[in-house]
Amino acid sequence: MHTSHVTLGVSGPRVGPIGLGCMGMSQFYGPADRAGSIATVRLALDLGVNLLDTADVYGAVGAAADTNGFGHNETLLGEAVRGRRDRAVIATKFGARPSDDGRVVYDGTPAYVRSACEASLRRLGTDHIDLYYCHRLDPGVPVEETVGAMAELVTEGKVTALGLSNAGPDELRRAARTAPVSALQSEYSLWERGVEDEILPLCRELGITLVPYSPLGRAALTGRVGPGTRLDGDDFRSTLPKFSPGNLPHNLRLVDGLKRFARERGATPGQVALAWLLAQPYAVVPVPGTKRAEFLRENAAAADLTLEAGEVAALGALFAPERVRGGQYGELPVAGR
């Protein structure tokens, strides 16, 4: 993998150009494979993929909740990095938790910020979190209160750098006025471009690194999803508009163009999709998720694929937002406290 590292934000941790999303090791994308997942995390560190992305809620949503539960992914990651902690940059999130009635509740109260951090530290088996995100801002708590409580954790040495996930422009500005924000995690890929108009320019203005999740369009941009792909009820993608029976065949025709481009470059479609993100004129560190070593190797190698300006523009035009069918999410069962 390419050895160049980047600093998250102005003074956050230094990470490789591509990270590893760990959510799928605990929920949403098929059964968990504990041994395989741990081996994949350790391989990531060997390859220089040191930004490891998790959250306390991963494992507590969907069908996996029956067997995995809240904190499952953090516990798994903690085991994987044991003896290797100094090589890992651990990013985790708080604020989203399942309620008794099946919704996801957001809690950004200062007391919860502190208790959630303490619990994550225990599960991860570490004395500090390198990058601590608020998973979703609580609509009932001013962002200044939540971020202020997060900043106290930095002062105490329990957290190194702060981040937000899926925050809007106003929230991001208010957060940055309260404490230094190193990273914003939002969905961004060739086929999901909602951050381009406001969020990306604001991140550059504020000195914040964008950490795209689902940079491979939840595997659609890898070429491994076909028109006949059946998504069962346990697969989160079955709820997403881009994957609906009415939209997916159209969107996959755009992916066919990506496949042709990749063949001409001697790369995989997923590698081209990641290289396109890295070629953007912003500080961007994508965190493609996988639990399989072969896909990790493939993703990591994308850091060595350089696209010319004309290629970047052509790919962007191929997946222009008006050409992609379906929004980012369907209806989500979420609520404030």
Side-chain angles (χ1 to χ4, degrees):
M1 179 178 171
H2 197 279
T3 55
S4 64
H5 281 57
V6 297
T7 299
L8 294 176
V10 175
S11 59
R14 287 184 61 77
V15 299
I18 294 174
L20 172 62
C22 299
M23 181 186 74
M25 298 176 182
S26 296
Q27 69 181 49
F28 286 151
Y29 301 113
D33 175 4
R34 175 180 166 277
S37 296
I38 289 173
T40 297
V41 170
R42 292 175 178 172
L43 175 62
L45 295 176
D46 291 340
L47 294 174
V49 178
N50 64 337
L51 178 59
L52 307 175
D53 186 85
T54 183
D56 56 10
V57 75
Y58 292 166
V61 180
D66 294 335
T67 55
N68 295 342
F70 195 87
H72 179 273
N73 202 241
E74 288 184 326
T75 301
L76 180 75
L77 184 57
E79 182 177 350
V81 303
R82 193 170 300 141
R84 302 165 172 81
R85 179 64 182 92
D86 60 332
R87 297 161 58 189
V89 175
I90 295 178
T92 192
K93 311 174 195 73
F94 76 93
R97 53 184 174 82
S99 64
D100 293 338
D101 59 4
R103 298 181 303 166
V104 174
V105 176
Y106 301 148
D107 192 339
T109 58
Y112 186 71
V113 172
R114 179 166 296 278
S115 65
C117 179
E118 297 287 357
S120 289
L121 288 169
R122 288 193 296 272
R123 286 187 292 263
L124 290 164
T126 187
D127 63 355
H128 72 285
I129 294 166
D130 299 293
L131 177 61
Y132 200 40
Y133 289 104
C134 178
H135 208 151
R136 295 290 193 281
L137 286 164
D138 183 342
V141 177
V143 62
E144 292 83 358
E145 291 187 20
T146 300
V147 174
M150 294 168 69
E152 291 179 5
L153 300 172
V154 175
T155 301
E156 295 168 12
K158 296 173 181 176
V159 169
T160 301
L162 303 182
L164 298 178
S165 179
N166 286 286
D170 177 64
E171 297 166 327
L172 195 56
R173 284 188 182 278
R174 290 166 59 194
R177 285 196 294 265
T178 304
V181 176
S182 294
L184 171 69
Q185 186 169 117
S186 295
E187 185 173 356
Y188 185 35
S189 69
L190 269 170
W191 83 347
E192 179 51 58
R193 312 271 285 278
V195 298
E196 289 185 336
D197 290 343
E198 291 185 85
I199 293 295
L200 275 170
L202 181 57
C203 283
R204 179 159 57 190
E205 174 190 334
L206 298 176
I208 296 171
T209 300
L210 186 79
V211 179
Y213 68 81
S214 301
L216 297 175
R218 305 182 195 276
L221 298 176
T222 67
R224 290 186 282 269
V225 176
T229 298
R230 291 190 175 186
L231 304 175
D232 62 35
D234 294 341
D235 192 315
F236 177 59
R237 293 173 294 183
S238 66
T239 69
L240 301 177
K242 288 184 179 66
F243 286 87
S244 73
N247 292 333
L248 185 59
H250 167 84
N251 292 333
L252 291 180
R253 285 193 286 274
L254 304 182
V255 177
D256 287 339
L258 175 62
K259 290 179 181 177
R260 289 190 292 271
F261 181 93
R263 284 195 296 270
E264 294 170 0
R265 287 299 311 267
T268 67
Q271 288 172 332
V272 172
L274 291 172
W276 181 85
L277 284 172
L278 295 178
Q280 298 307 305
Y282 300 96
V284 173
V285 179
V287 284
T290 187
K291 53 189 171 186
R292 295 173 59 177
E294 62 184 290
F295 296 153
L296 170 68
R297 291 184 184 276
E298 177 184 322
N299 294 341
D304 291 318
L305 178 62
T306 301
L307 302 178
E308 302 295 333
E311 294 174 322
V312 174
L315 288 165
L318 173 64
F319 287 90
E322 64 271 15
R323 302 190 70 194
V324 179
R325 291 184 184 172
Q328 186 177 9
Y329 290 115
E331 290 296 319
L332 294 177
V334 300
R337 290 172 292 106

